[in-house]
Amino acid sequence: MSTVHAIRFHQTGGPEVLSWDSVEVGDPGPGEVRVRHTAVGLNYIDTYHRSGLYPVTLPSGLGLEAAGVIEAVGEGVGGLAPGDRVAYGTGPLGAYAEARVMTPETLLRLPDAIDDRTAAAMMLQGLTVQYLIRRLFRVEPGMTVLFHAAAGGVGLIACQWLKHLGATVIGTVGSPEKAELARAHGCDHTILYREEDFVARVKEITDGKGVPVVYDGVGKDVFDGSLDCLQRLGMMATYGNASGPVPDISPLILNTKGSLFLTRPKLMDYAATRAELVAMADDVFGVVASGAVRIAVNQTYALKDAAQAHRDLEGRKTTGSTVLLP
Ligand code: NDP
């Protein structure tokens, strides 16, 4: 048994509820491994768990993503050995820790070409982009798509991957600096949605036709307008709530706007089986190893300063991906 530090919360609320607790980590039991984290990924979903928007049992650990090294392997675990470099991006909750004991079903061995910080930054966001643009709606060369919050963690990966597929990317962003960054990562058209009418701009860019798919991690503030950006039979993928959850809507609205499709997906359902997770991760590792997608680790914080990282993420001060260092 050894004592490690972990970020935990004993009540839901703002970033101030996060505390740097001492926790006991034992030897792995049968079917478990102990992982020493070298880098932890920060994701917007962590703020939903902390705030209570997505309910958790309290007190709780936080975080679904990290990279590190296997320290010990319990009885009956095959395919992993002490010293192996691993990463995960689909939980379980509790990644904001120096070390942890977990079952290995979400763990992926890291290729040598991918360093630990890059891995911690890219697993959850990269897997998300993979299912959004390869499975939920299969983007084909020549398509023009709208991606909200294009300069964020998911956004910068998506811009590059979409470009690599031969799509034209329209991205919304919160500032001119973010617009420049999105363009540097393959976004063809940027829209400053805090100042400009993004629906009018999408119509203008597409000669009035609209787009076949909208990817929306922003939620409440852009949902209605996003439906108006779609072509008939278009796909509205509302996958996040950075500005707040989308209020209830009547299905009839999808009829009046052109027999639209609406989906509210989550990564864990697309990566529900080990086979799906491995296939998706291979795809992500492939585009990163080939250089088609570069992971922009634009902020790092000490893990104990996770509250500040949350303030900056929710304050729209970050770009690309963020890593917390134990
Ligand atoms: P980001 O790095 O994209 O950060 C969120 C961004 O949202 C901000 O930088 C900001 O960019 C934009 N934003 C717009 N309005 C607001 C607002 N009112 N408050 C705060 N931010 C706002 O985060 P992630 O890449 O980690 O995640 C992006 C989205 O994807 C999140 O909603 C997340 O929950 C979702 N997600 C969903 C998954 C799923 O499977 N369903 C999996 C992974 C992520 P700007 O200033 O340019 O507007």
Side-chain angles (χ1 to χ4, degrees), residues 43-45 48 124-125 128 131 149 152-154 173-174 178 193 217-218 239-243 264-267 313-314 316 318 320:
N43 290 286
Y44 218 93
I45 191 172
Y48 308 146
L124 194 153
Q125 294 167 352
T128 299
Y131 87 75
V154 173
V173 289
K178 290 184 180 184
Y193 57 177
V218 171
Y239 66 94
N241 333 275
S243 68
R264 180 51 176 97
K266 67 175 187 289
L267 170 61
L313 182 63
E314 292 174 292
R316 305 172 84 157
T318 65

